[in-house]
PDB file of all heavy atoms in Angstrom:
ATOM      1  N   LEU A  13      44.738  -7.539  28.740  1.00 40.00           N
ATOM      2  CA  LEU A  13      44.602  -7.994  27.385  1.00 40.00           C
ATOM      3  C   LEU A  13      45.905  -7.728  26.606  1.00 40.00           C
ATOM      4  O   LEU A  13      46.525  -6.736  26.843  1.00 40.00           O
ATOM      5  CB  LEU A  13      43.434  -7.303  26.663  1.00 40.00           C
ATOM      6  CG  LEU A  13      42.127  -7.415  27.395  1.00 40.00           C
ATOM      7  CD1 LEU A  13      41.059  -6.467  26.736  1.00 40.00           C
ATOM      8  CD2 LEU A  13      41.612  -8.827  27.257  1.00 40.00           C
ATOM      9  N   THR A  45      16.039  -9.051  23.410  1.00 83.00           N
ATOM     10  CA  THR A  45      15.496  -9.954  22.397  1.00 83.00           C
ATOM     11  C   THR A  45      14.085  -9.558  21.996  1.00 83.00           C
ATOM     12  O   THR A  45      13.200  -9.610  22.837  1.00 83.00           O
ATOM     13  CB  THR A  45      15.552 -11.362  22.831  1.00 83.00           C
ATOM     14  OG1 THR A  45      16.884 -11.714  23.165  1.00 83.00           O
ATOM     15  CG2 THR A  45      15.137 -12.309  21.733  1.00 83.00           C
ATOM     16  N   ALA A  65      24.561 -17.885  26.871  1.00 89.00           N
ATOM     17  CA  ALA A  65      25.913 -17.141  26.959  1.00 89.00           C
ATOM     18  C   ALA A  65      26.323 -17.236  28.425  1.00 89.00           C
ATOM     19  O   ALA A  65      25.527 -17.106  29.399  1.00 89.00           O
ATOM     20  CB  ALA A  65      25.828 -15.783  26.451  1.00 89.00           C
ATOM     21  N   THR A 102      19.871 -16.861  17.152  1.00 70.00           N
ATOM     22  CA  THR A 102      21.283 -16.945  16.989  1.00 70.00           C
ATOM     23  C   THR A 102      22.086 -16.117  17.969  1.00 70.00           C
ATOM     24  O   THR A 102      22.639 -16.646  18.954  1.00 70.00           O
ATOM     25  CB  THR A 102      21.676 -16.457  15.501  1.00 70.00           C
ATOM     26  OG1 THR A 102      21.007 -15.207  15.266  1.00 70.00           O
ATOM     27  CG2 THR A 102      21.188 -17.451  14.548  1.00 70.00           C
ATOM     28  N   PRO A 153      18.425   2.921   0.932  1.00 97.00           N
ATOM     29  CA  PRO A 153      17.511   1.870   0.793  1.00 97.00           C
ATOM     30  C   PRO A 153      17.451   0.969   2.105  1.00 97.00           C
ATOM     31  O   PRO A 153      18.111  -0.105   2.201  1.00 97.00           O
ATOM     32  CB  PRO A 153      18.133   1.032  -0.345  1.00 97.00           C
ATOM     33  CG  PRO A 153      19.555   1.261  -0.320  1.00 97.00           C
ATOM     34  CD  PRO A 153      19.737   2.725   0.201  1.00 97.00           C
ATOM     35  N   GLY A 170      20.593  -7.354   3.432  1.00 89.00           N
ATOM     36  CA  GLY A 170      19.266  -6.858   3.590  1.00 89.00           C
ATOM     37  C   GLY A 170      18.712  -6.150   2.336  1.00 89.00           C
ATOM     38  O   GLY A 170      19.395  -5.470   1.611  1.00 89.00           O
ATOM     39  N   ALA A 194      38.372 -12.499  13.914  1.00 96.00           N
ATOM     40  CA  ALA A 194      38.189 -13.344  15.057  1.00 96.00           C
ATOM     41  C   ALA A 194      39.312 -13.232  16.068  1.00 96.00           C
ATOM     42  O   ALA A 194      39.126 -13.392  17.275  1.00 96.00           O
ATOM     43  CB  ALA A 194      38.045 -14.850  14.555  1.00 96.00           C
ATOM     44  N   GLY A 237      17.548  13.231  -1.346  1.00 98.00           N
ATOM     45  CA  GLY A 237      16.206  12.999  -1.007  1.00 98.00           C
ATOM     46  C   GLY A 237      15.272  13.209  -2.156  1.00 98.00           C
ATOM     47  O   GLY A 237      14.111  12.725  -2.177  1.00 98.00           O
ATOM     48  N   GLN A 241       9.933  10.874  -5.010  1.00 98.00           N
ATOM     49  CA  GLN A 241       8.916  11.806  -5.446  1.00 98.00           C
ATOM     50  C   GLN A 241       7.682  11.895  -4.557  1.00 98.00           C
ATOM     51  O   GLN A 241       7.387  12.931  -3.985  1.00 98.00           O
ATOM     52  CB  GLN A 241       8.444  11.438  -6.910  1.00 98.00           C
ATOM     53  CG  GLN A 241       7.472  12.446  -7.435  1.00 98.00           C
ATOM     54  CD  GLN A 241       7.050  11.979  -8.906  1.00 98.00           C
ATOM     55  OE1 GLN A 241       5.846  12.108  -9.143  1.00 98.00           O
ATOM     56  NE2 GLN A 241       7.937  11.643  -9.693  1.00 98.00           N
ATOM     57  N   MET A 279       6.030  -1.401  -5.549  1.00 98.00           N
ATOM     58  CA  MET A 279       4.739  -1.721  -4.845  1.00 98.00           C
ATOM     59  C   MET A 279       4.960  -2.844  -3.881  1.00 98.00           C
ATOM     60  O   MET A 279       5.754  -3.775  -4.095  1.00 98.00           O
ATOM     61  CB  MET A 279       3.671  -2.265  -5.890  1.00 98.00           C
ATOM     62  CG  MET A 279       2.399  -2.699  -5.339  1.00 98.00           C
ATOM     63  SD  MET A 279       1.192  -3.277  -6.642  1.00 98.00           S
ATOM     64  CE  MET A 279      -0.048  -4.004  -5.570  1.00 98.00           C
ATOM     65  N   TYR A 306      -2.726   6.166 -11.602  1.00 98.00           N
ATOM     66  CA  TYR A 306      -1.937   4.986 -11.891  1.00 98.00           C
ATOM     67  C   TYR A 306      -2.462   3.769 -11.097  1.00 98.00           C
ATOM     68  O   TYR A 306      -2.416   2.679 -11.568  1.00 98.00           O
ATOM     69  CB  TYR A 306      -0.538   5.284 -11.493  1.00 98.00           C
ATOM     70  CG  TYR A 306       0.439   4.193 -11.699  1.00 98.00           C
ATOM     71  CD1 TYR A 306       1.045   3.908 -12.967  1.00 98.00           C
ATOM     72  CD2 TYR A 306       0.788   3.308 -10.666  1.00 98.00           C
ATOM     73  CE1 TYR A 306       1.926   2.853 -13.122  1.00 98.00           C
ATOM     74  CE2 TYR A 306       1.683   2.310 -10.848  1.00 98.00           C
ATOM     75  CZ  TYR A 306       2.296   2.047 -12.068  1.00 98.00           C
ATOM     76  OH  TYR A 306       3.232   1.047 -12.300  1.00 98.00           O
ATOM     77  N   VAL A 319     -15.437  -4.889  -1.523  1.00 98.00           N
ATOM     78  CA  VAL A 319     -14.831  -4.576  -0.170  1.00 98.00           C
ATOM     79  C   VAL A 319     -14.519  -3.138  -0.128  1.00 98.00           C
ATOM     80  O   VAL A 319     -14.240  -2.439  -1.189  1.00 98.00           O
ATOM     81  CB  VAL A 319     -13.565  -5.397   0.106  1.00 98.00           C
ATOM     82  CG1 VAL A 319     -13.872  -6.861   0.398  1.00 98.00           C
ATOM     83  CG2 VAL A 319     -12.569  -5.285  -1.113  1.00 98.00           C
ATOM     84  N   ASP A 324      -7.174   5.970   0.961  1.00 98.00           N
ATOM     85  CA  ASP A 324      -6.883   6.066  -0.530  1.00 98.00           C
ATOM     86  C   ASP A 324      -6.031   7.324  -0.715  1.00 98.00           C
ATOM     87  O   ASP A 324      -6.586   8.427  -1.030  1.00 98.00           O
ATOM     88  CB  ASP A 324      -8.144   6.154  -1.341  1.00 98.00           C
ATOM     89  CG  ASP A 324      -7.869   6.076  -2.860  1.00 98.00           C
ATOM     90  OD1 ASP A 324      -6.609   6.112  -3.152  1.00 98.00           O
ATOM     91  OD2 ASP A 324      -8.734   5.859  -3.615  1.00 98.00           O
ATOM     92  N   GLU A 334       9.431  10.343   5.588  1.00 98.00           N
ATOM     93  CA  GLU A 334       7.973  10.006   5.896  1.00 98.00           C
ATOM     94  C   GLU A 334       7.662   8.595   5.415  1.00 98.00           C
ATOM     95  O   GLU A 334       6.990   7.842   6.124  1.00 98.00           O
ATOM     96  CB  GLU A 334       7.027  11.001   5.211  1.00 98.00           C
ATOM     97  CG  GLU A 334       7.017  12.364   5.881  1.00 98.00           C
ATOM     98  CD  GLU A 334       6.128  13.307   5.143  1.00 98.00           C
ATOM     99  OE1 GLU A 334       6.028  13.188   3.902  1.00 98.00           O
ATOM    100  OE2 GLU A 334       5.587  14.212   5.807  1.00 98.00           O
ATOM    101  N   ARG A 353       7.900 -15.899  16.687  1.00 89.00           N
ATOM    102  CA  ARG A 353       7.943 -15.665  15.253  1.00 89.00           C
ATOM    103  C   ARG A 353       8.521 -16.777  14.510  1.00 89.00           C
ATOM    104  O   ARG A 353       9.360 -17.506  14.886  1.00 89.00           O
ATOM    105  CB  ARG A 353       8.928 -14.424  14.976  1.00 89.00           C
ATOM    106  CG  ARG A 353       8.290 -13.059  15.195  1.00 89.00           C
ATOM    107  CD  ARG A 353       9.274 -11.989  14.872  1.00 89.00           C
ATOM    108  NE  ARG A 353       9.796 -12.063  13.485  1.00 89.00           N
ATOM    109  CZ  ARG A 353      10.819 -11.414  13.036  1.00 89.00           C
ATOM    110  NH1 ARG A 353      11.467 -10.571  13.850  1.00 89.00           N
ATOM    111  NH2 ARG A 353      11.273 -11.577  11.837  1.00 89.00           N
ATOM    112  N   ASP A 365       4.268 -16.454 -13.296  1.00 97.00           N
ATOM    113  CA  ASP A 365       3.183 -16.787 -14.134  1.00 97.00           C
ATOM    114  C   ASP A 365       1.874 -16.875 -13.315  1.00 97.00           C
ATOM    115  O   ASP A 365       1.902 -16.641 -12.051  1.00 97.00           O
ATOM    116  CB  ASP A 365       3.391 -18.090 -14.875  1.00 97.00           C
ATOM    117  CG  ASP A 365       3.568 -19.254 -13.983  1.00 97.00           C
ATOM    118  OD1 ASP A 365       3.246 -19.192 -12.758  1.00 97.00           O
ATOM    119  OD2 ASP A 365       4.125 -20.326 -14.433  1.00 97.00           O
ATOM    120  N   GLY A 402      23.212  -3.628  -9.789  1.00 91.00           N
ATOM    121  CA  GLY A 402      24.387  -3.157  -9.050  1.00 91.00           C
ATOM    122  C   GLY A 402      25.374  -4.270  -8.762  1.00 91.00           C
ATOM    123  O   GLY A 402      25.220  -5.357  -9.262  1.00 91.00           O
ATOM    124  N   SER A 407      24.413 -12.699  -1.692  1.00 90.00           N
ATOM    125  CA  SER A 407      23.034 -12.776  -1.065  1.00 90.00           C
ATOM    126  C   SER A 407      22.046 -13.188  -2.145  1.00 90.00           C
ATOM    127  O   SER A 407      22.039 -12.657  -3.286  1.00 90.00           O
ATOM    128  CB  SER A 407      22.657 -11.409  -0.529  1.00 90.00           C
ATOM    129  OG  SER A 407      21.262 -11.371  -0.186  1.00 90.00           O
ATOM    130  N   ASN A 409      19.141 -12.497  -2.077  1.00 88.00           N
ATOM    131  CA  ASN A 409      18.199 -11.363  -2.291  1.00 88.00           C
ATOM    132  C   ASN A 409      18.541 -10.546  -3.529  1.00 88.00           C
ATOM    133  O   ASN A 409      17.681  -9.865  -4.066  1.00 88.00           O
ATOM    134  CB  ASN A 409      18.281 -10.440  -1.051  1.00 88.00           C
ATOM    135  CG  ASN A 409      17.634 -11.033   0.174  1.00 88.00           C
ATOM    136  OD1 ASN A 409      16.816 -11.990   0.064  1.00 88.00           O
ATOM    137  ND2 ASN A 409      17.957 -10.523   1.352  1.00 88.00           N
ATOM    138  N   PHE A 415       9.321 -10.841  -4.473  1.00 96.00           N
ATOM    139  CA  PHE A 415       9.733 -11.445  -3.226  1.00 96.00           C
ATOM    140  C   PHE A 415       8.566 -11.453  -2.289  1.00 96.00           C
ATOM    141  O   PHE A 415       7.872 -10.474  -2.047  1.00 96.00           O
ATOM    142  CB  PHE A 415      10.842 -10.544  -2.607  1.00 96.00           C
ATOM    143  CG  PHE A 415      11.500 -11.069  -1.349  1.00 96.00           C
ATOM    144  CD1 PHE A 415      12.686 -11.716  -1.352  1.00 96.00           C
ATOM    145  CD2 PHE A 415      10.848 -10.801  -0.133  1.00 96.00           C
ATOM    146  CE1 PHE A 415      13.306 -12.142  -0.166  1.00 96.00           C
ATOM    147  CE2 PHE A 415      11.425 -11.232   1.083  1.00 96.00           C
ATOM    148  CZ  PHE A 415      12.638 -11.959   1.087  1.00 96.00           C
ATOM    149  N   TYR A 422       2.911 -14.203  17.145  1.00 93.00           N
ATOM    150  CA  TYR A 422       1.846 -14.186  18.131  1.00 93.00           C
ATOM    151  C   TYR A 422       2.452 -14.190  19.570  1.00 93.00           C
ATOM    152  O   TYR A 422       3.595 -14.484  19.794  1.00 93.00           O
ATOM    153  CB  TYR A 422       0.947 -15.441  17.989  1.00 93.00           C
ATOM    154  CG  TYR A 422       1.705 -16.762  18.157  1.00 93.00           C
ATOM    155  CD1 TYR A 422       1.788 -17.389  19.398  1.00 93.00           C
ATOM    156  CD2 TYR A 422       2.232 -17.387  17.099  1.00 93.00           C
ATOM    157  CE1 TYR A 422       2.432 -18.628  19.534  1.00 93.00           C
ATOM    158  CE2 TYR A 422       2.917 -18.649  17.186  1.00 93.00           C
ATOM    159  CZ  TYR A 422       2.994 -19.263  18.483  1.00 93.00           C
ATOM    160  OH  TYR A 422       3.649 -20.407  18.610  1.00 93.00           O
ATOM    161  N   SER A 428      -1.827 -22.633  24.148  1.00 89.00           N
ATOM    162  CA  SER A 428      -1.532 -23.975  24.647  1.00 89.00           C
ATOM    163  C   SER A 428      -0.418 -24.613  23.727  1.00 89.00           C
ATOM    164  O   SER A 428      -0.183 -24.136  22.670  1.00 89.00           O
ATOM    165  CB  SER A 428      -2.742 -24.853  24.693  1.00 89.00           C
ATOM    166  OG  SER A 428      -3.165 -25.126  23.371  1.00 89.00           O
ATOM    167  N   ARG A 433       1.646 -25.752  18.309  1.00 91.00           N
ATOM    168  CA  ARG A 433       2.110 -26.773  17.423  1.00 91.00           C
ATOM    169  C   ARG A 433       1.222 -26.711  16.114  1.00 91.00           C
ATOM    170  O   ARG A 433       1.766 -26.837  15.058  1.00 91.00           O
ATOM    171  CB  ARG A 433       1.984 -28.137  18.044  1.00 91.00           C
ATOM    172  CG  ARG A 433       2.516 -29.279  17.212  1.00 91.00           C
ATOM    173  CD  ARG A 433       2.497 -30.550  17.929  1.00 91.00           C
ATOM    174  NE  ARG A 433       3.419 -30.614  19.035  1.00 91.00           N
ATOM    175  CZ  ARG A 433       3.015 -30.769  20.351  1.00 91.00           C
ATOM    176  NH1 ARG A 433       1.688 -30.985  20.603  1.00 91.00           N
ATOM    177  NH2 ARG A 433       3.949 -30.787  21.303  1.00 91.00           N
ATOM    178  N   THR A 470      20.987 -30.287   0.861  1.00 79.00           N
ATOM    179  CA  THR A 470      22.332 -30.491   1.341  1.00 79.00           C
ATOM    180  C   THR A 470      22.864 -29.023   1.821  1.00 79.00           C
ATOM    181  O   THR A 470      22.386 -28.039   1.443  1.00 79.00           O
ATOM    182  CB  THR A 470      23.265 -31.022   0.286  1.00 79.00           C
ATOM    183  OG1 THR A 470      23.428 -30.104  -0.746  1.00 79.00           O
ATOM    184  CG2 THR A 470      22.747 -32.330  -0.262  1.00 79.00           C
ATOM    185  N   GLN A 502      30.143 -18.634  15.323  1.00 88.00           N
ATOM    186  CA  GLN A 502      29.281 -19.795  14.976  1.00 88.00           C
ATOM    187  C   GLN A 502      27.830 -19.445  15.103  1.00 88.00           C
ATOM    188  O   GLN A 502      26.922 -20.249  14.742  1.00 88.00           O
ATOM    189  CB  GLN A 502      29.556 -21.024  15.713  1.00 88.00           C
ATOM    190  CG  GLN A 502      29.495 -20.935  17.246  1.00 88.00           C
ATOM    191  CD  GLN A 502      30.034 -22.156  17.942  1.00 88.00           C
ATOM    192  OE1 GLN A 502      29.288 -22.949  18.338  1.00 88.00           O
ATOM    193  NE2 GLN A 502      31.363 -22.149  17.961  1.00 88.00           N
TER     194      GLN A 502
END
Side-chain angles (χ1 to χ4, degrees):
L13 304 170
T45 302
T102 49
Q241 183 182 135
M279 175 182 171
Y306 180 83
V319 288
D324 186 352
E334 287 177 328
R353 279 182 55 191
D365 60 19
S407 168
N409 290 340
F415 183 99
Y422 60 91
S428 69
R433 187 177 292 119
T470 66
Q502 60 190 259

